[in-house]
Amino acid sequence: MGDGAETGRTDWITRRRLLAQAAAASAATFVPWPGIADLQAPAGRGPKRGSLPLTFGAELEYYRSDPTHLEQRLALCAQAHYNTIQTYVPWNVHESSQGRLDFTGATSPLIVGDHLDEYLLETPLDEIEHGGVFSRVRANTDLEGFLHACVRHRMKVILRPGPFISDEWRNGGIPDWLLQQGYPEMDMRGPDGSTLSPGFPLAPPVANIVGGGAEYYFVGPSYGSDFYRSAVAAWLRAFARFAKPWLASAGGPVTTVQVDDEICFYYRFGPFEVDYHPSLIARFRKATGAEPPRGWPAQGGPVAALKPAFAWQRFKAVQLGQYLGFLRSELRAAGVRVPIVHEEELQLVPPGTLSELARNLDVLNAEFYNGDDGPWSLPLNELCAAAVRGAQSPDRAPIAAELGAGDDLLCYLLIGEGMHGTLAFTYTDGVIDGTVDAMSRIGRALHTAGARLARGKRRADTAVVWCPQLFHAPYNSTNFGFERDVRRIAERHLPALASLLIRAGLAFDLVDTDVATAASYRNYSTIWLVASDILPARAQADLVSYVEAGGKLICWPAPPTLDEHLDPCTTLAEKLFHEPIGAFYGDDAQLVEILGEQVPVWRGVQTFAPSQGARVVARRGSEACGYSRRRGRGEAILLGTWPAADLPAGAAGLVLELQQLPSSDGDAVAATRAAVARHFGPDAAAKARNLASGRRQYAVAPAGPAQYLVVYQFSNERRGGEVITGGAVGYWDGQNVVPTAELDTAENATTVSTPPFHPILPAHVAMVGALHRRAPAASVTDKRAQVRVIDGPGASTLSVINRYPEDISFAVSVRAGGRNVRLPEAGAMTLPAATGMLLPIQYELGSGGPRIAQATVQLLGYSVSGRRLELTVYSPRGGEVVIDLPGRFRSASVPARTSAHGGQIRVLTAPGERTLTVEWGRPAQAAGRSRTPRAARHDR
């Protein structure tokens, strides 16, 4: 809404009036914050860094809190064995009045909330009236005092000065005075060239509450605006002047600085929503010689008609990366000499391309808000972790910069998936009350592991080809000339393959075609390609080279035919997959034989007439529907069907609700309908039909009755130029999510469709084993146990999780240090539902001292003094510790079984946290020459 809009009402607040009032209110409230003197460090005491190499901690926002509260929460964080505290540094807190900067608590501006109303149905002044003090914050500007407090509690610090910080904070941290001054030159523009006005009067209309729209009561600044960039540069220089003495490069606690937050054109995801600012249009014209498109071409045309839309989306992704590069350069020029990073949300969807962001930063981090960690959430967390790792150099160490507070299972999972630490998001808690013990067990284990984890490398069994260009395609992309639904492959079919690999016990990486080199592919013995029409020309050539060098490529359902620019490219087809095709059978859920396994497959079957140079690997009756060809030293396999497809959650759905269902079918139907009405409205519930297993016939029967209702949300995202908010509803049958309805809640209508049920069955898992033909890094007797191996200096660590709702018992076999290790040595270990652990293998406990050969307990700390070892361990169901001693065993505080030569013992521990001691004597064969091991201690 512009200033001159005729509204018919005189009491509506125009955008500029609101900004002017808020700016005046902030400027009028400069008052001292009490108690600042109490936070000063003793004279001569400089900031200190934390001691743990692997990041573990939480967000704790000083500006929302008073000093006493911060001291209490930091003490709890230390008790939880956190080593890192992260916080935003809001520009509009520290420069609430233009030109007056305060980092020491001299002032406390009043910040009017603008993001407390989830669906933005009220104005900020309405929120104050209805919400009282909870809609405004008397901000704490004493960042200096907060850093002193972090030093006292031995915390490393990550500062996030924006300029945009998201964070449910007014204007995302951008000052009111800047938004007022910059209007309209610095604002983003829509396709018609006008600035984007918020809705009625300052937010989306009621009909659009679940259909996307502005996240804040302001128009986002354009990344191309010189006015905005100049103001941002001045802010970052001021921040750097304050921060430099606190940086780790100067001996301080600040190890990292994050620029901006969740960069995505301020939550306007559609390719044609923004940004048509004159500066960006000029850049696009210079780069392409063309005008930017304003929408998708008409359906029914050739694929080539999409070239302008693809070029525009590539251009926008580059602009996001270059803007982050500008922020990084400004901080570097101002003397910031610590890693400069960014944290990205929506890791798997536009408008950003992860590789473009990463190339302009020191490290690109990720956040994980996928709603749940159970088997019904597969494989969102794994895909997100693999995507952010695959987008940058393997020598970088990305962390999970945000995740749900108190989620210890997710911490274990992400460490196993290659994240180099986790930070919980809590606003003002730091650590959630009631979770201190669980967090402490992780923190102590990470501290004890030290460099064995911090310098470790996760073992990957296999890799999946990841092509970001697929996300540039429109939904229902076969309507635009593609042979396959390109977007559905990216969002549903490839995640189905990832889920299948996890269920088969394989750890996978994603090979990002934007950054991968020919050498990148050669790190894997097998590579999987769920092929759409599109695959970059370089990737096609590199995959041929990979096969020629001895790799195995497994592809379905047909080779790609286009490159990333939508030009014809058939390198894979010509070099590897050129056997003549036969008949196509379009029925769903057909049974084919793949390497001796009878496997249900989906979405039809393409047969082939293979030549003598090909080996048949799959048959539909008597007809070949899959073949293998040798090329060079390697092998390429093509299956003319979909063994995995249509995962209900896909790559974007987070678990919104999980509810245990009653046993009766009628009650399950009622619960499902109630959930749809609760989350998507009565219109959606009225349109949803056949919502329970008793009302629908499946080509493949579910494994059992409905156990849990699962509601997935596609949250407030305009992706692919279409509003696809809404979600999916299904139930967990003990093995798979059985989808019952998918709901698209667009602005003007709700549509309900019935998704296909394409489960992952034991036959599919067996097929993966037959195709892969290699033992996984960690073999488990029950594949519900998800085990990952991290190899560090002289030792290995296993991340072991049970994400299922029931206890599981299993054994693990892994090769470590040149020998085969079975955990436990005999029998099985039991992991309760929704539980994770870190298990040590070959941990040296001090130079010349004892060594933990293997354990099914988590090592929390140890000390070695003379010939005495004290261990602190944890296990939810009890476990074993096998210890190699430098001398003959003498005694232990718990029963121990010695080996034949007396130098190794096996100790069984009871459930819970336990402390045990072991003593030994000199080795019999060298009693006169034995040396006492150097004292060591790791029990922070």
Side-chain angles (χ1 to χ4, degrees), residues 572-641:
L572 278 182
E574 294 172 9
K575 302 290 187 180
L576 301 178
F577 302 126
H578 47 75
E579 298 299 321
I581 63 172
F584 178 76
Y585 300 92
D587 292 343
D588 196 20
Q590 300 181 51
L591 196 66
V592 303
E593 184 218 324
I594 302 176
L595 293 176
E597 301 288 340
Q598 296 295 316
V599 182
V601 294
W602 323 113
R603 295 185 158 268
V605 177
Q606 175 66 61
T607 63
F608 303 98
S611 65
Q612 290 185 349
R615 177 174 67 94
V616 175
V617 298
R619 294 184 182 276
R620 180 190 183 273
S622 61
E623 297 178 86
C625 60
Y627 62 85
S628 164
R629 290 192 62 90
R630 302 290 303 183
R631 185 176 178 94
R633 294 186 287 114
E635 180 183 14
I637 294 174
L638 177 64
L639 301 177
T641 187

Side-chain angles (χ1 to χ4, degrees), residues 669 672-678 680-692 695 729 740-755:
V669 172
T672 304
R673 289 190 180 279
V676 172
R678 185 164 55 251
F680 306 111
D683 181 53
K687 291 180 178 179
R689 298 288 183 257
N690 303 324
L691 287 179
R695 300 292 189 88
V729 180
T740 53
E742 186 168 314
L743 306 100
D744 291 343
T745 51
E747 294 187 23
N748 300 316
T750 296
T751 60
V752 179
S753 59
T754 302

Side-chain angles (χ1 to χ4, degrees), residues 306-589:
L306 289 167
K307 286 185 176 184
F310 272 59
W312 174 239
Q313 292 181 83
R314 284 195 299 271
F315 170 80
K316 289 179 65 175
V318 169
Q319 298 310 303
L320 294 180
Q322 290 181 350
Y323 175 70
L324 294 180
F326 156 72
L327 300 179
R328 180 180 181 274
S329 296
E330 290 296 326
L331 286 173
R332 283 281 182 261
V336 173
R337 296 290 182 266
V338 296
I340 296 174
V341 306
H342 180 74
E343 168 236 309
E344 184 69 341
E345 190 182 17
L346 305 169
Q347 292 94 333
L348 307 179
V349 294
T353 298
L354 295 183
S355 60
E356 285 294 343
L357 304 183
R359 76 175 79 251
N360 290 279
L361 301 160
D362 296 318
V363 181
L364 177 65
N365 294 324
E367 66 175 52
F368 296 82
Y369 292 118
N370 294 325
D372 193 85
D373 309 324
W376 34 77
S377 71
L378 278 173
L380 269 67
N381 290 311
E382 289 85 351
L383 275 179
C384 291
V388 77
R389 287 191 295 105
Q392 51 199 317
S393 170
D395 62 353
R396 297 186 185 182
I399 66 171
E402 289 186 20
L403 56 98
D407 193 345
D408 56 326
L409 178 62
L410 184 56
C411 293
Y412 290 114
L413 186 155
L414 293 176
I415 291 168
E417 294 304 319
M419 293 289 99
H420 285 254
T422 62
L423 296 170
F425 192 84
T426 66
Y427 292 120
T428 59
D429 287 324
V431 60
I432 301 298
D433 294 338
T435 68
V436 173
D437 288 345
M439 294 299 108
S440 172
R441 287 193 289 269
I442 300 175
R444 286 183 285 167
L446 297 181
H447 176 76
T448 303
R452 287 171 285 227
L453 269 178
R455 292 168 55 194
K457 182 180 180 182
R458 169 184 174 273
R459 287 191 210 172
D461 298 298
T462 190
V464 177
V465 177
W466 180 255
C467 179
Q469 285 76 23
L470 305 190
F471 290 99
H472 293 164
Y475 288 95
N476 300 312
S477 52
T478 52
N479 295 337
F480 294 84
F482 289 107
E483 294 181 8
R484 280 152 277 174
D485 191 335
V486 172
R487 193 60 179 260
R488 192 168 185 86
I489 287 174
E491 294 200 353
R492 299 301 177 89
H493 302 331
L494 188 148
L497 167 63
S499 187
L500 172 57
L501 294 176
I502 294 169
R503 296 270 294 269
L506 299 182
F508 69 86
D509 286 344
L510 293 180
V511 181
D512 188 324
T513 58
D514 280 352
V515 296
T517 65
S520 304
Y521 297 92
R522 294 172 188 169
N523 293 323
Y524 308 97
S525 59
T526 58
I527 291 178
W528 306 74
L529 172 62
V530 182
S532 77
D533 301 39
I534 303 170
L535 192 64
R538 188 184 68 179
Q540 294 196 41
D542 287 345
L543 284 171
V544 172
S545 298
Y546 161 77
V547 172
E548 291 173 339
K552 178 189 281 189
L553 175 64
I554 304 163
C555 174
W556 65 65
T561 56
L562 303 170
D563 67 10
E564 66 272 32
H565 303 292
L566 304 184
D567 291 322
C569 182
T570 55
T571 303
L572 278 182
E574 294 172 9
K575 302 290 187 180
L576 301 178
F577 302 126
H578 47 75
E579 298 299 321
I581 63 172
F584 178 76
Y585 300 92
D587 292 343
D588 196 20

Side-chain angles (χ1 to χ4, degrees), residues 23 25 34 92 133 137 140 166 270 281 363 476 483 620 634 751 761 885:
N92 61 1
V133 296
V137 176
N140 178 4
S166 182
I281 290 178
V363 181
N476 300 312
E483 294 181 8
R620 180 190 183 273
T751 60
L761 303 173
L885 300 174

Side-chain angles (χ1 to χ4, degrees), residues 829-840:
M829 62 180 291
T830 298
L831 204 56
T835 301
M837 297 178 68
L838 296 172
L839 307 183

Side-chain angles (χ1 to χ4, degrees), residues 28-54:
T29 54
F30 283 92
V31 295
W33 189 276
I36 295 303
D38 297 336
L39 283 178
Q40 302 305 315
R45 179 179 176 181
K48 295 180 181 179
R49 295 186 62 184
S51 60
L52 284 182
L54 202 66

